[in-house]
């Protein structure tokens, strides 16, 4: 039975072409806003991860677009292009295709890594970034394999083993097991409510290959290193879950070395790797003051 991408809610769905690739996005908020708030989801989810956040930001007067990255959700699944540089270029093209010249980028997990690269590539386009549970790509890769990794973080790395991620993430039981281990204590039910949906999306023929490719990329390519070589000049609000077992507080320790402009940090207590689902109200309250500075509402 087909999996519904365009789930109903206080948003509209749109398919658009950018750079020759078709992308799906959920849109909400006033269309006359000068700024776009672009939401980029974490692995292994899709635009639906932002379902609690989209209406709150729209009600505050922001034009919001929750994008499916290439290979995820309702977006195209091309055979290549799953490095951070290409994903960031995709997102920048989508902003332009939606008719905006400036955007604040809120990215969680994988989406947060893309936000960091976007800021380095296109400071003319990016008004500010909010990486959520997403340390700077250079900083976190410099710590790979060190002792701070917990068992859960090692499980995250183990999904790079050929065949293991496919077998795990395309079944209801496997997806539930992974998501459960990445969530803060006492907040599991909020994330697992959609675990079957995420598994069903990845279980479609050929759908798991692209997302898993993003997970396997442990080294940054030359284009990514070039984009991240200089400290980020745009404003940054880094949000981390106090109980995030995948990217614990130590993983964020070097972020300040890679930012030359304004940088703030917010810690969500008792929250794991998926703040947008575990604690959407707390996440929005942390984001709104920052957006008021860098991307004023309509």
């Amino acid at each position: 039975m087909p999996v519904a991408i365009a789930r109903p809610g206080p948003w509209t769905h749109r398919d658009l072409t950018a750079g020759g690739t078709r992308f799906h996005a959920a849109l909400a908020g006033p269309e006359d806003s000068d700024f776009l708030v672009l939401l980029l989801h974490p692995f292994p989810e899709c635009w639906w991860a932002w379902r609690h956040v989209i209406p709150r930001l729209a009600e505050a007067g922001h034009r919001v677009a929750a994008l499916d990255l290439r290979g995820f959700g309702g977006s195209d699944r091309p055979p290549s292009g799953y490095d951070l540089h290409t994903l960031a270029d995709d997102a920048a093209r989508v902003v332009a295709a939606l008719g905006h010249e400036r955007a604040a980028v809120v990215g969680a997990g994988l989406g947060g890594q893309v936000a960091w690269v976007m800021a380095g590539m296109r400071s003319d386009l990016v008004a500010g970034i909010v990486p959520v549970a997403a340390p700077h790509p250079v900083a976190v890769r410099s710590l790979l394999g060190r002792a701070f990794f917990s068992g859960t973080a090692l499980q995250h790395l183990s999904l790079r083993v050929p065949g293991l991620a496919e077998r795990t993430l395309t079944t209801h039981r496997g997806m539930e097991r992974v998501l459960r281990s990445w969530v803060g204590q006492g907040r599991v039910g909020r994330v697992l409510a959609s675990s079957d949906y995420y598994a069903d999306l990845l279980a479609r023929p050929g759908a798991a290959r692209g997302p898993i490719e993003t997970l396997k990329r442990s080294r940054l390519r030359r284009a990514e290193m070039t984009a991240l070589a200089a400290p980020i000049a745009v404003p940054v609000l880094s949000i981390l879950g106090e109980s995030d077992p995948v990217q614990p507080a130590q993983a964020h320790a070097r972020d300040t070395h890679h930012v030359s402009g304004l940088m703030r940090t917010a810690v969500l207590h008792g929250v794991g790797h998926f703040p947008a689902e575990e604690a959407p109200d707390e996440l929005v309250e942390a984001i709104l003051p920052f957006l008021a500075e860098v991307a004023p509402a309509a």
Side-chain angles (χ1 to χ4, degrees):
M1 186 174 181
V3 186
I5 300 296
R7 289 189 158 192
W11 44 68
T12 59
H13 293 274
R14 182 174 171 185
D15 290 327
L16 60 147
T17 300
T21 302
R22 183 184 58 84
F23 295 94
H24 164 262
L27 307 172
E31 297 185 23
D32 60 347
S33 177
D34 291 334
F35 292 88
L36 178 71
V37 177
L38 182 67
L39 305 178
L40 303 178
H41 60 81
F43 175 93
E45 302 183 334
C46 65
W47 75 273
W48 184 246
W50 301 105
R51 63 195 177 279
H52 304 303
V53 174
I54 295 170
R56 288 285 307 277
L57 295 182
E59 289 165 6
H62 295 285
R63 181 61 171 170
V64 183
L67 176 67
D68 280 336
L69 298 169
R70 70 163 59 202
F72 290 84
S75 292
D76 275 353
R77 305 194 292 265
S80 61
Y82 295 97
D83 57 283
L84 295 178
H85 186 274
T86 303
L87 296 176
D89 185 59
D90 287 344
R93 290 176 184 272
V94 166
V95 172
L98 289 171
H100 290 271
E101 296 181 354
R102 297 281 281 167
V105 185
V106 182
L110 171 64
Q113 301 275 297
V114 174
W116 282 108
V117 178
M118 283 186 73
M121 289 172 53
R122 294 294 307 274
S123 59
D124 61 316
L125 177 76
V126 177
I129 64 170
V130 183
V132 181
H136 188 278
V138 173
V140 72
R141 280 165 175 76
S142 71
L143 294 170
L144 286 176
R146 295 196 180 186
F148 81 86
F149 276 111
S150 66
T152 302
L154 289 174
Q155 178 207 54
H156 182 278
L157 294 176
S158 74
L159 290 176
R160 296 174 182 167
V161 177
L164 178 60
E166 289 86 344
R167 293 193 300 270
T168 300
L169 298 172
T170 58
T171 67
H172 290 180
R173 180 176 295 181
M175 178 67 77
E176 178 180 334
R177 185 170 63 251
V178 170
L179 296 185
R180 181 186 295 276
S181 67
W182 295 358
V183 177
Q185 188 174 7
R187 301 173 186 264
V188 173
R190 304 182 187 186
V191 178
L192 294 191
S194 295
S195 65
D196 288 356
Y197 177 58
Y198 297 135
D200 289 343
L201 286 173
L202 292 179
R204 294 174 298 165
R209 186 189 57 80
I212 291 171
E213 184 67 20
T214 67
L215 190 68
K216 291 178 179 178
R217 294 184 176 275
S218 59
R219 293 186 178 183
L220 296 173
R221 294 186 172 184
R222 179 176 299 178
E224 294 164 320
M225 291 299 297
T226 298
L228 295 167
I232 302 301
V234 305
V236 177
L237 170 63
S238 178
I239 299 179
L240 51 145
E242 178 191 38
S243 302
D244 185 350
V246 179
Q247 301 291 2
Q250 300 97 312
H252 297 262
R254 298 186 181 184
D255 285 355
T256 55
H257 299 172
H258 300 277
V259 179
S260 63
L262 170 70
M263 179 168 181
R264 296 175 183 153
T265 301
V267 179
L268 302 184
H269 298 289
V271 176
H273 193 60
F274 302 106
E277 294 178 286
E278 297 178 55
D281 291 340
E282 293 97 315
L283 178 62
V284 170
E285 291 304 315
I287 291 173
L288 282 177
F290 180 78
L291 292 181
E293 294 181 38
V294 304

